[in-house]
Amino acid sequence: MSMFSKFLTGMSFRSTTPTFEAGEEIEVYVTELDEESGELVAQVGETRLYFENGEADIIGCRVLATVESFNDAEHRGRVTHRETLSQGSF
Amino acid sequence: MSDTDSGDGTEIEEISGPDVEAIEFYGGRWMSVIPIGVFILWAIVQSGLFGIGDTTGLVAGMLVALIVGMFFAKGDWKNYANTIFDGMTKRVAATAVVAWLWAGMFSNTLQAGGFVGGLVWAANAADVGGALFPAATFILAALFTTGIGTGYGAAVAFSALFFPAGILLGANPVLLFGAILSGAVFGDNLAPVSDTTIVSAVTQDADIGGVVASRFKYAVIAAVLALVAYVFAGNAMAGLDISQQAQDLFVQNSEPAGLLHLVSMLVVIVTAVMGRHIVEAISWGLIVAVVFNVVFDLAPLSDVLLFKVPETSAAASWAGSLPIAEVVAAENAGVTGSIYNGAAGFFPLIVLVLLIVAGSEIMIRGGGFEAIQEWLLENVATGVRKAETTMVVGTALVNSMITINTAAEIAIAPYIARIGQRYNINSYRRANILDANTSALGYIFPWGGGVLIGFATLQGLPGQYEWFTSAMVVNPVQVWPYVFHGWFLFGVFLLSALTGFGLEYTTDRKSKDVTRL
């Protein structure tokens, strides 16, 4: 990212439901254990990404994950946990 | 937070350190809020009710609060005591401490080099009249604060110099004081060496250079609106009629070469935004500032660092010949200069942040933090827009109570981090929401630290100038509607939270981990 673009990034009105592409590698904080499915979830805005793998001890951690599939209409996706990068702040 | 029991436990332990012990409190987990709660109460009484802006007083308050909290802890108090140690050694506190020390050295060296004198020269050269003077003051105070990082420092310097000059030129006093405070808000919010910028970045796991670049858009929108408002209001609001000339006051304090420190300031900003570590960025700025001071005769080397060697010392016979030493009477021995004073100025705040983080750690291990967070997430921050609005309003609320804005920022920072991470709001965005209200409201409310320190300076002016009467002193209660940049900055962030302007998610881009500062 150039120095100039650092100043301009984010100059837009962002949706509450971001979309993702299959194969995309992302960094997310793991939000919670979904009560219905029992799967780990990362909530990005109102979009929910369900983990194919991973244990409950990564809740709150920042992880590297790969998007396996994404449903644009329902704002739901499935991701694979690759690596735990850090704990959340505090 | 214990995360070491599952299959991935080893990996997590490497990241988080060894498992930690929870603290149980009489009366349940909400009672772990006592240390921070007592401190907030102390801060409200001290700064809000009594109007005492003494950071060391807050240190005393936090110490008392930690002792009070201990009496509510169940079992062996050793666990409670150890938690204080664990909190104080957290990286978030250490990073703020390091950055503050560097920022303090830099800002004091700029002031020693006559930066304000350069701005005075610029104001004089621009030859603006009374109507436009508040707008010009806003720009120059904003520049000054962006350079030195401390809005309190700008409030003092500009209230002492630009305020009387503006009055003489026919500017409206209330508007002029509002413009000074607005400039302080701008720099406090944007400067990479500002204490609030540093806290906002390190508590949200973001690099300072990236934070400064990402908040530029909000700051500029608010600043343009504020500038237009000062131009209009300057023409609409009448000044006082005083038959004295401002010229003399300007000429006495004018030092065109002081403007060279705009370069020192840019060195820090550009280096930090380029992604260099903030310690490196400020060090380069400091070196440039010292060189400019000496080469352009802005300040002698002894203003940067001076050893006052006692005459009783064995080195007294030769130390006086050094450019950074002088021989003094034994009782006056010591070290001084901008490097010394700049770092020392942050000592009370450093101790305070260490103790507040310790209090927060007790609240985290006692479950109080989680209880508040759960309540907020279940009842208030139930979607990403509401979460951001909660962050904006929550920060504003805490800043309205704890008027030493850095202390307020440290207290609310963990909630901004947790609520934001719940919706994967980007660390830059979280840092920006946190800092905008912290910077703005500390200079708006009549009991705010920045307002009071400026007011105290104005009160000294009648004793300084014969023509300046105490009726010209602006009361803090009069000025709050006219801190235009503060209000616009708050408005920009409230609208941003409600509409999603500037919203970025964790998945959009990442902060530089290696330059966590």
Side-chain angles (χ1 to χ4, degrees):
Chain A
M1 184 178 278
S2 73
M3 189 167 142
F4 188 63
S5 62
K6 280 183 181 177
F7 285 91
L8 297 179
T9 303
M11 288 278 276
S12 61
F13 292 90
R14 191 69 198 276
S15 162
T16 57
T17 50
T19 56
F20 297 92
E21 298 289 333
E24 199 176 333
E25 200 164 74
I26 56 173
E27 279 186 23
V28 282
Y29 287 99
V30 182
T31 307
E32 62 189 354
L33 206 58
D34 185 72
E35 285 181 5
E36 285 179 16
S37 66
E39 293 172 308
L40 289 169
V41 177
Q43 180 143 347
V44 186
E46 311 296 343
T47 294
R48 287 175 75 81
L49 302 172
Y50 294 83
F51 282 83
E52 302 274 0
N53 58 341
E55 303 291 335
D57 64 354
I58 61 169
I59 292 173
C61 291
R62 189 165 58 92
V63 304
L64 191 64
T66 305
V67 179
E68 303 298 341
S69 61
F70 191 79
N71 184 325
D72 282 349
E74 294 181 1
H75 315 297
R76 299 285 183 270
R78 298 203 68 78
V79 296
T80 307
H81 170 237
R82 296 288 178 212
E83 187 186 347
T84 302
L85 300 170
S86 69
Q87 282 212 316
S89 305
F90 303 96
Chain B
M1 288 173 289
S2 169
D3 298 308
T4 58
D5 298 326
S6 72
D8 288 347
T10 311
E11 186 186 352
I12 299 300
E13 190 171 323
E14 281 170 4
I15 293 166
S16 68
D19 201 357
V20 293
E21 207 173 325
I23 310 172
E24 279 193 65
F25 282 82
Y26 294 109
R29 61 180 183 165
W30 281 95
M31 298 303 280
S32 65
V33 175
I34 284 175
I36 290 291
V38 168
F39 166 71
I40 290 175
L41 202 63
W42 179 297
I44 291 170
V45 172
Q46 184 198 305
S47 60
L49 194 63
F50 295 157
I52 304 169
D54 179 1
T55 308
T56 308
L58 295 182
V59 171
M62 195 63 228
L63 286 168
V64 170
L66 286 168
I67 294 170
V68 171
M70 191 160 63
F71 285 94
F72 292 88
K74 281 184 180 176
D76 191 349
W77 286 352
K78 185 181 162 191
N79 188 23
Y80 182 96
N82 280 336
T83 304
I84 296 175
F85 283 82
D86 292 343
M88 291 179 87
T89 52
K90 277 200 151 192
R91 189 178 163 87
V92 65
T95 45
V97 167
V98 170
W100 280 342
L101 290 172
W102 257 254
M105 291 189 290
F106 175 71
S107 67
N108 260 45
T109 303
L110 245 61
Q111 292 192 75
F115 190 29
V116 73
L119 297 174
V120 168
W121 178 84
N124 189 35
D127 196 24
V128 291
L132 285 178
F133 197 80
T137 299
F138 167 58
I139 294 172
L140 295 172
L143 260 179
F144 181 71
T145 318
T146 306
I148 68 165
T150 158
Y152 286 10
V156 171
F158 274 69
S159 296
L161 198 53
F162 275 71
F163 188 83
I167 298 290
L168 289 173
L169 283 172
N172 180 280
V174 179
L175 196 61
L176 190 54
F177 191 34
I180 291 170
L181 296 174
S182 278
V185 172
F186 182 91
D188 227 7
N189 176 229
L190 195 63
V193 294
S194 153
D195 51 357
T196 63
T197 302
I198 291 164
V199 169
S200 72
V202 300
T203 57
Q204 306 305 315
D205 281 323
D207 61 290
I208 291 174
V211 159
V212 169
S214 67
R215 77 179 41 158
F216 191 74
K217 52 183 173 289
Y218 308 109
V220 166
I221 290 170
V224 168
L225 293 172
L227 187 62
V228 171
Y230 280 119
V231 170
F232 275 102
N235 282 291
M237 295 168 70
L240 304 172
D241 186 19
I242 300 163
S243 57
Q244 293 271 347
Q245 291 298 312
Q247 195 66 21
D248 287 349
L249 187 60
F250 269 142
V251 170
Q252 278 169 22
N253 296 283
S254 178
E255 176 52 75
L259 278 181
L260 279 168
H261 283 308
L262 285 173
V263 177
S264 315
M265 182 183 102
L266 283 174
V267 166
V268 175
I269 294 173
V270 171
T271 321
V273 172
M274 280 170 66
R276 307 312 290 254
H277 197 288
I278 194 68
V279 166
E280 182 186 340
I282 301 178
S283 294
W284 281 119
L286 180 63
I287 291 165
V288 171
V290 172
V291 169
F292 279 1
N293 281 355
V294 175
V295 171
F296 295 100
D297 208 20
L298 293 168
L301 205 53
S302 57
D303 278 4
V304 177
L305 188 65
L306 180 66
F307 292 93
K308 296 168 111 176
V309 182
E311 56 195 3
T312 52
S313 164
S317 58
W318 54 268
S321 60
L322 297 173
I324 54 166
E326 70 176 14
V327 179
V328 297
E331 64 269 23
N332 295 327
V335 181
T336 186
S338 62
I339 287 181
Y340 174 93
N341 294 326
F346 274 105
F347 288 173
L349 197 56
I350 285 170
V351 178
L352 181 63
V353 70
L354 293 174
L355 292 171
I356 291 179
V357 175
S360 300
E361 188 66 10
I362 287 168
M363 196 162 88
I364 288 168
R365 293 193 191 175
F369 183 90
E370 205 171 359
I372 294 173
Q373 182 187 293
E374 279 171 11
W375 184 86
L376 284 172
L377 290 172
E378 283 170 17
N379 298 287
V380 188
T382 51
V384 66
R385 294 277 192 264
K386 285 182 179 173
E388 287 210 318
T389 309
T390 304
M391 288 154 68
V392 171
V393 176
T395 311
L397 203 64
V398 172
N399 270 283
S400 70
M401 294 187 294
I402 305 177
T403 60
I404 295 172
N405 59 2
T406 316
E409 188 176 32
I410 296 163
I412 191 73
Y415 289 98
I416 301 299
R418 285 287 186 89
I419 293 171
Q421 285 167 7
R422 171 77 173 71
Y423 293 97
N424 272 289
I425 296 167
N426 193 287
S427 55
Y428 291 138
R429 171 78 163 184
R430 284 186 269 124
N432 292 337
I433 289 176
L434 175 61
D435 196 43
N437 291 320
T438 300
S439 300
L441 296 173
Y443 297 90
I444 288 178
F445 289 109
W447 55 87
V451 182
L452 292 175
I453 210 160
F455 174 59
T457 310
L458 296 187
Q459 283 178 309
L461 294 176
Q464 218 172 326
Y465 303 104
E466 275 182 21
W467 55 268
F468 199 105
T469 65
S470 45
M472 296 175 192
V473 173
V474 179
N475 193 292
V477 180
Q478 295 172 284
V479 77
W480 65 268
Y482 301 98
V483 189
F484 294 146
H485 184 68
W487 284 117
F488 282 125
L489 197 59
F490 175 69
V492 163
F493 270 91
L494 194 57
L495 280 174
S496 297
L498 292 170
T499 62
F501 174 75
L503 170 62
E504 289 182 82
Y505 295 108
T506 314
T507 49
D508 293 338
R509 59 171 169 160
K510 57 185 175 184
S511 177
K512 289 178 182 296
D513 288 338
V514 286
T515 50
R516 191 170 181 276
L517 273 172

